[in-house]
Amino acid sequence: MKNNITLITGGSRGIGRATALLLAQKGHTICINYRSQQARAEEVVALIRQRGGSAIAIAADIADEEQVVAMFQQIDRQLGPLTGLVNNAGILQQQASIEQLDARRIATVFATNVSGSFICAREAVKRMALRHGGQGGAIVNVSSAASRLGAPHEYVDYAASKGAVDTLTTGLALEVAAQGIRVNAVRPGLIYTEMHADGGEPGRVDRVKDNLPMKRGGQPEEVAQAIAWLLSDEASYVTGSFLDMAGGR
């Protein structure tokens, strides 16, 4: 049986947490990356272990290249060759119009959402690629419906960063397809996670859900199911693809 070793960045809450729990249930050995929420990350690890799974947690700010490299080296030592990466960690700032944005805010968002995803993908490819003696693998980038919709008056900078993640998905999928690595993305819409509180409006999903064709927000577990499928052998002929999960929006 294949030994799936999967890194989930930003795995202590929301979509990352739900994905970690589901993949562990499916037999993956999980590395949960977190930046500051150690207690919550360790809670997820404990839950996985209680259910008979295997997991560790590693602190690293994915906006910091040195910390990312050190995290991958620790995974090498503790778990073995990586087979899956879920580029899930992402940040947004307080809701704002373009007139309220400054270069520092934009750089902060892009450092995590774009540069962090690139560097994590780079380190994963170094380990998975056939040319490096790897066994192949799969990468799933967690983008956002905002990359298509633009998030006007709220998070244009966040939306733009996710547009970059979409381009990374397409380009990297083509670049590493012959190396046994599949690269896909999910684009969640309005999902019940704590990220909305980070943007200053904890109840945002309930405020706008009636504008959606399905008239409801999504659950992190629904997104986790899509991520798990894209990582699985059931999606073995799928690369460079996007799964929109936005209730029809």
Side-chain angles (χ1 to χ4, degrees):
M1 185 177 176
K2 183 180 177 184
N3 184 24
N4 289 306
I5 298 173
T6 303
L7 166 63
I8 302 168
T9 65
S12 67
R13 67 177 194 171
I15 291 170
R17 181 183 189 276
T19 302
L21 293 174
L22 178 61
L23 290 175
Q25 182 183 322
K26 292 178 178 290
H28 290 239
T29 297
I30 303 296
C31 175
I32 292 169
N33 154 261
Y34 66 95
R35 182 180 60 181
S36 58
Q37 306 222 10
Q38 180 178 359
R40 297 191 65 170
E42 290 178 350
E43 177 190 342
V44 181
V45 169
L47 196 52
I48 289 171
R49 290 175 178 171
Q50 286 169 16
R51 297 174 179 177
S54 178
I56 63 171
I58 300 177
D61 182 350
I62 68 162
D64 185 318
E65 184 174 15
E66 289 186 2
Q67 291 186 42
V68 171
V69 171
M71 172 176 64
F72 274 84
Q73 291 171 343
Q74 188 173 341
I75 293 170
D76 293 339
R77 292 191 303 268
Q78 288 190 241
L79 301 181
L82 194 74
T83 63
L85 166 65
V86 181
N87 262 326
N88 170 70
I91 62 169
L92 53 71
Q93 305 286 317
Q94 290 281 309
Q95 293 174 341
S97 68
I98 189 73
E99 295 171 25
Q100 298 168 297
L101 303 186
D102 58 31
R104 178 177 294 180
R105 168 177 164 147
I106 296 165
T108 298
V109 170
F110 273 63
T112 293
N113 297 2
V114 182
S115 296
S117 294
F118 266 84
I119 300 304
C120 286
R122 181 194 75 192
E123 293 301 306
V125 168
K126 285 180 178 181
R127 290 155 172 82
M128 296 176 184
L130 301 179
R131 65 171 170 263
H132 295 310
Q135 301 300 309
I139 297 171
V140 178
N141 295 322
V142 180
S143 178
S144 171
S147 71
R148 299 182 290 105
L149 302 171
H153 310 295
E154 293 185 320
Y155 317 109
V156 174
D157 52 342
Y158 172 81
S161 75
K162 292 302 188 177
V165 170
D166 286 358
T167 303
L168 165 64
T169 301
T170 299
L172 185 60
L174 296 169
E175 188 169 310
V176 300
Q179 294 301 316
I181 305 170
R182 298 182 301 103
V183 185
N184 295 287
V186 293
R187 287 194 289 221
L190 291 160
I191 310 296
Y192 285 100
T193 73
E194 295 173 27
M195 181 171 268
H196 301 290
D198 297 342
E201 189 184 357
R204 180 169 176 261
V205 176
D206 286 330
R207 174 174 63 84
V208 300
K209 66 181 182 180
D210 289 337
N211 297 327
L212 301 177
M214 290 184 74
K215 305 297 182 186
R216 69 172 180 89
Q219 296 296 331
E221 291 76 15
E222 293 178 294
V223 182
Q225 290 285 353
I227 293 171
W229 180 75
L230 287 169
L231 287 174
S232 75
D233 290 340
E234 294 173 349
S236 57
Y237 202 51
V238 180
T239 197
S241 293
F242 297 84
L243 268 176
D244 287 298
M245 310 190 68
R249 191 178 181 198

